[in-house]
Amino acid sequence: MTMNARILVLLPALMVAGCATFTPEPVPLPVTPPEQWSAQLDEGQGIDASWWQAFNDDHLNRLIDKALAANSDLAATAQSVIQADLQLQSAGAGLLPSVGATASTGRQASRASGGDTNNGGSTSAGLSVDYELDLWGRLSAVEGAALASFQATRFDYDTARITLIASVASTWFEWLELQQRVEVARNNLAIGERTLALVEARFRNGAASRAELARQQTSVLSLRNAVPPLEYQARQRLAALRVLTGELPFEGDTPDADISEVSIPVINPLAPASLVTRRPDLAAQEARLVAASADIEQARAALLPSVSLSAAVRLSTDSFLSLADPARSVSGLLGLSQSLFDGGQRRNAVAISESRRVALLESYRGSLLTAFQEVGDALDRDSLYELQEQRLQEILVRAEETLRLTEVRYREGADDLLTLLESQRNVFDARQQLSQMRLNRLIAAVDLYKALGGGWQRDDEVMATGPVEE
């Protein structure tokens, strides 16, 4: 058996022996999670993936369904996942041999000196195989980096999905609150106009001065002037909401909904340690750390010589369009290449890759701290706003009772107009603050759901390593 034949026979075994596998190291957890949240909570519970349904708002449920189906930004992010998958397939192709085929045929005519014409032809066909042995794991590291990047892109999509849902919920609640404020402003205007009618009657009877009449007229004009800006803000928020759901901004009917009918869910999160594995943005950073480790391995392997195998089989005859009784040739080659001098480029590439991984690890550390802060802040706001809303409800009840009594006393001449106006302002302010506090509680709940990962759980089995504590 010739040397070339031996190489062809041994080629499959060499290909298997030349395959190295990139195994990522566990991602270190640079922050020790706190043992418990600062707020006193009952036994923690996991977040449902459809957390927005806890608000018991059918309008919100339909809006989120529409946004997930038609939002352009989310659709663009989905294309990024497809592109990352294609890049992963391309990276994996480097571990496989490349196969090529050639074929040619032709006829050549020549005229001899005696005037005779000689027609000759030839036909050949060949098959070649080239394969780089991945002895040092460079190609495997390239595939590992592409795999980790694909996972990071998937997690980015999950993050964008949660962010979109939270944006739709927040924008919807903001619009509801603005609608509530418009209604409050109109009610305030009605109270002011009712008081103006009372002052006009007292003025006609000589019981009120012209200054009192002018003062109340000014108050009514101010109340009337406060309504259009609120209506404008409400239209703008509704337009933004329609854009999020993939609709034209200023078309469609105005929903008939009331912010007071929206339920405020009770959220008792699990221990802080669970947050590390329940936020897709943190998982994306872990995946990028794995990709950075693969880049380091790839750069280190580039310092070592590369080994490649090539083999070819060729058939040829002196006939045109025929391979009858061909001549056969078989060749095989084992190649070794090594760069002797590159000015330090490859070693610099290793150092750059290592520095990038350190930077990613520091960024991951900062993201973990921010994640714990976001959850803690949302929990504190939820408890604070709940207490303030209860107090504002009591304040509003007392302010409305005071206004009713003051109107009676003013009608009877026992109180002056300034006292009545002060009572009205107290009612107006209490209503506005109560509406704003309701919104604050809803936004705090949305922020808390988002900070806790929106019920997301890692469902991939491709990444073998997750975060570990040092």
Side-chain angles (χ1 to χ4, degrees), residues 4-27:
N4 289 336
R6 289 193 182 97
I7 292 178
L8 290 177
V9 172
L10 295 175
L11 181 59
L14 291 173
M15 291 171 60
V16 173
C19 291
T21 302
F22 168 73
T23 303
E25 297 179 357
V27 177

Side-chain angles (χ1 to χ4, degrees), residues 344-412:
Q345 293 183 10
R346 289 174 298 154
R347 293 193 179 279
N348 288 339
V350 174
I352 291 172
S353 298
E354 291 174 343
S355 177
R356 286 174 179 169
R357 189 180 188 281
V358 172
L360 286 172
L361 188 59
E362 288 299 321
S363 177
Y364 180 43
R365 177 176 178 273
S367 297
L368 283 170
L369 293 174
T370 300
F372 294 133
Q373 186 270 335
E374 289 174 348
V375 176
D377 176 69
L379 286 170
D380 287 343
R381 282 188 289 140
D382 179 67
S383 58
L384 172 64
Y385 295 151
E386 181 180 8
L387 181 60
Q388 286 189 318
E389 185 181 31
Q390 294 173 358
R391 291 173 177 172
L392 282 171
Q393 288 173 344
E394 296 177 3
I395 291 173
L396 179 59
V397 171
R398 296 179 184 273
E400 290 176 339
E401 178 65 15
T402 300
L403 176 60
R404 185 185 66 81
L405 295 175
T406 304
E407 285 180 340
V408 173
R409 290 174 59 83
Y410 178 76
R411 190 179 294 110
E412 296 175 350

Side-chain angles (χ1 to χ4, degrees), residues 172-309:
W172 169 247
F173 294 148
E174 289 169 356
W175 179 81
L176 287 178
E177 193 272 338
L178 283 169
Q179 286 292 97
Q180 179 80 6
R181 290 174 62 186
V182 168
E183 186 65 24
V184 168
R186 289 171 178 169
N187 291 337
N188 294 344
L189 176 60
I191 293 175
E193 291 175 340
R194 185 181 66 199
T195 303
L196 177 60
L198 176 59
V199 174
E200 289 174 342
R202 287 173 57 82
F203 175 74
R204 288 193 300 268
N205 295 326
S209 65
R210 183 173 294 277
E212 288 180 327
L213 178 60
R215 187 178 292 113
Q216 185 59 26
Q217 287 174 337
T218 301
S219 177
V220 169
L221 289 175
S222 298
L223 292 172
R224 185 175 291 119
N225 191 51
V227 175
L230 292 174
E231 292 176 336
Y232 166 77
Q233 293 179 42
R235 289 194 299 271
Q236 291 298 311
R237 296 317 295 161
L238 185 58
L241 183 63
R242 286 172 175 155
V243 170
L244 287 174
T245 57
E247 299 177 335
L248 292 174
F250 294 103
E251 293 187 4
D253 298 331
T254 301
D256 183 14
D258 189 348
I259 194 172
S260 62
E261 297 178 355
V262 180
S263 301
I264 298 180
V266 177
I267 310 171
N268 295 323
L270 296 172
S274 67
L275 187 66
V276 179
T277 59
R278 291 181 176 270
R279 283 187 46 149
D281 58 331
L282 297 180
Q285 292 193 305
E286 294 168 19
R288 290 188 170 91
L289 278 167
V290 173
S293 298
D295 290 338
I296 294 174
E297 293 299 320
Q298 177 185 348
R300 288 173 177 171
L303 297 172
L304 302 174
S306 62
V307 180
S308 61
L309 293 173

